[in-house]
Coordinates of all heavy atoms in Angstrom, one line a residue:
R1 N 139.8 80.6 -17.1 CA 139.6 82.0 -17.5 C 140.4 82.9 -16.6 O 141.1 83.8 -17.1 CB 138.1 82.4 -17.5 CG 137.5 82.4 -18.9 CD 136.2 83.1 -18.9 NE 135.2 82.9 -17.8 CZ 134.4 81.8 -17.7 NH1 134.4 80.9 -18.6 NH2 133.6 81.7 -16.7
L2 N 140.3 82.7 -15.3 CA 141.0 83.6 -14.3 C 142.5 83.4 -14.5 O 143.3 84.4 -14.5 CB 140.6 83.2 -12.9 CG 139.2 83.7 -12.4 CD1 138.9 83.1 -11.1 CD2 139.1 85.2 -12.4
A3 N 143.0 82.2 -14.7 CA 144.4 81.9 -14.8 C 144.9 82.6 -16.1 O 146.0 83.2 -16.1 CB 144.7 80.4 -14.9
E4 N 144.1 82.5 -17.2 CA 144.5 83.2 -18.4 C 144.6 84.7 -18.3 O 145.5 85.3 -18.7 CB 143.5 82.8 -19.6 CG 144.0 83.3 -20.9 CD 143.0 83.0 -22.0 OE1 142.2 82.0 -21.9 OE2 143.0 83.7 -23.0
G5 N 143.6 85.3 -17.6 CA 143.6 86.7 -17.3 C 144.8 87.1 -16.5 O 145.5 88.1 -16.7
I6 N 145.1 86.3 -15.4 CA 146.3 86.6 -14.6 C 147.5 86.5 -15.4 O 148.4 87.3 -15.3 CB 146.3 85.7 -13.4 CG1 145.2 86.0 -12.4 CG2 147.6 85.7 -12.6 CD1 144.9 85.0 -11.3
S7 N 147.6 85.5 -16.2 CA 148.8 85.3 -17.1 C 149.0 86.4 -18.0 O 150.1 87.0 -18.2 CB 148.7 84.0 -17.9 OG 149.7 83.8 -18.7
R8 N 147.9 86.9 -18.7 CA 147.9 88.0 -19.6 C 148.3 89.3 -18.9 O 149.2 90.1 -19.3 CB 146.5 88.2 -20.3 CG 146.6 88.2 -21.8 CD 145.3 88.6 -22.5 NE 144.1 88.5 -21.7 CZ 143.2 87.5 -21.8 NH1 143.5 86.5 -22.5 NH2 142.1 87.5 -21.1
K9 N 147.8 89.5 -17.7 CA 148.1 90.7 -16.9 C 149.6 90.7 -16.5 O 150.3 91.6 -16.6 CB 147.2 90.8 -15.6 CG 147.5 92.1 -14.8 CD 146.6 92.1 -13.6 CE 146.8 93.4 -12.8 NZ 148.1 93.8 -12.6
S10 N 150.0 89.5 -16.1 CA 151.4 89.3 -15.7 C 152.3 89.6 -16.9 O 153.4 90.3 -16.8 CB 151.6 87.9 -15.2 OG 153.0 87.6 -15.0
E11 N 152.0 89.1 -18.1 CA 152.8 89.4 -19.3 C 152.8 90.9 -19.6 O 153.9 91.4 -19.9 CB 152.2 88.6 -20.5 CG 152.5 87.1 -20.5 CD 151.7 86.4 -21.6 OE1 151.1 87.0 -22.5 OE2 151.7 85.1 -21.6
N12 N 151.6 91.5 -19.5 CA 151.6 93.0 -19.7 C 152.4 93.7 -18.7 O 153.1 94.7 -19.0 CB 150.1 93.5 -19.6 CG 149.3 93.1 -20.9 OD1 149.9 92.8 -21.9 ND2 148.0 93.1 -20.8
D13 N 152.3 93.3 -17.4 CA 153.1 93.9 -16.4 C 154.6 93.8 -16.6 O 155.4 94.7 -16.5 CB 152.8 93.4 -15.0 CG 151.4 93.8 -14.5 OD1 150.8 94.7 -15.1 OD2 150.9 93.2 -13.5
V14 N 155.0 92.6 -17.1 CA 156.4 92.4 -17.4 C 156.9 93.2 -18.6 O 157.9 93.9 -18.6 CB 156.7 90.9 -17.7 CG1 158.1 90.6 -18.3 CG2 156.6 90.0 -16.4
A15 N 156.0 93.3 -19.6 CA 156.3 94.1 -20.8 C 156.4 95.6 -20.4 O 157.4 96.3 -20.8 CB 155.3 93.9 -21.9
N16 N 155.5 96.1 -19.6 CA 155.5 97.5 -19.1 C 156.8 97.8 -18.3 O 157.4 98.8 -18.5 CB 154.3 97.8 -18.3 CG 153.0 97.9 -19.2 OD1 153.1 98.1 -20.4 ND2 151.9 97.8 -18.6
Y17 N 157.1 96.8 -17.4 CA 158.3 97.0 -16.6 C 159.6 97.0 -17.5 O 160.4 97.9 -17.3 CB 158.4 95.8 -15.6 CG 159.7 95.8 -14.8 CD1 159.9 96.7 -13.8 CD2 160.8 95.0 -15.2 CE1 161.1 96.8 -13.1 CE2 162.0 95.0 -14.5 CZ 162.1 95.9 -13.4 OH 163.3 95.9 -12.7
N18 N 159.6 96.1 -18.5 CA 160.8 96.1 -19.4 C 160.9 97.4 -20.2 O 162.0 97.9 -20.4 CB 160.7 94.9 -20.3 CG 161.0 93.6 -19.6 OD1 161.7 93.6 -18.5 ND2 160.6 92.5 -20.2
E19 N 159.7 97.9 -20.6 CA 159.7 99.2 -21.3 C 160.2 100.3 -20.5 O 161.0 101.1 -20.9 CB 158.3 99.4 -21.8 CG 158.2 100.5 -22.9 CD 156.7 100.6 -23.3 OE1 156.2 99.6 -23.9 OE2 156.1 101.7 -23.2
R20 N 159.7 100.4 -19.2 CA 160.1 101.4 -18.3 C 161.6 101.3 -18.0 O 162.3 102.3 -17.9 CB 159.3 101.4 -17.0 CG 157.9 101.9 -17.1 CD 157.2 102.2 -15.8 NE 157.3 101.1 -14.9 CZ 156.4 100.1 -14.8 NH1 155.4 100.0 -15.6 NH2 156.6 99.1 -13.9
L21 N 162.1 100.1 -17.8 CA 163.5 99.8 -17.5 C 164.4 100.3 -18.7 O 165.4 101.0 -18.5 CB 163.7 98.3 -17.2 CG 165.1 97.9 -16.8 CD1 165.5 98.6 -15.5 CD2 165.2 96.4 -16.7
A22 N 163.9 99.9 -19.9 CA 164.7 100.3 -21.1 C 164.7 101.8 -21.2 O 165.8 102.4 -21.5 CB 164.1 99.7 -22.4
S23 N 163.6 102.5 -20.9 CA 163.5 103.9 -21.0 C 164.4 104.6 -20.0 O 165.1 105.6 -20.2 CB 162.1 104.4 -20.8 OG 161.9 105.8 -20.8
A24 N 164.4 104.0 -18.7 CA 165.3 104.5 -17.7 C 166.8 104.4 -18.0 O 167.6 105.3 -17.8 CB 165.0 103.8 -16.3

């Protein structure tokens, strides 16, 4: 469960970073 949560958070962080990067 923890690994899945970390993986999901990591995916969200990567998506947010990519979105911010594209916006910049």
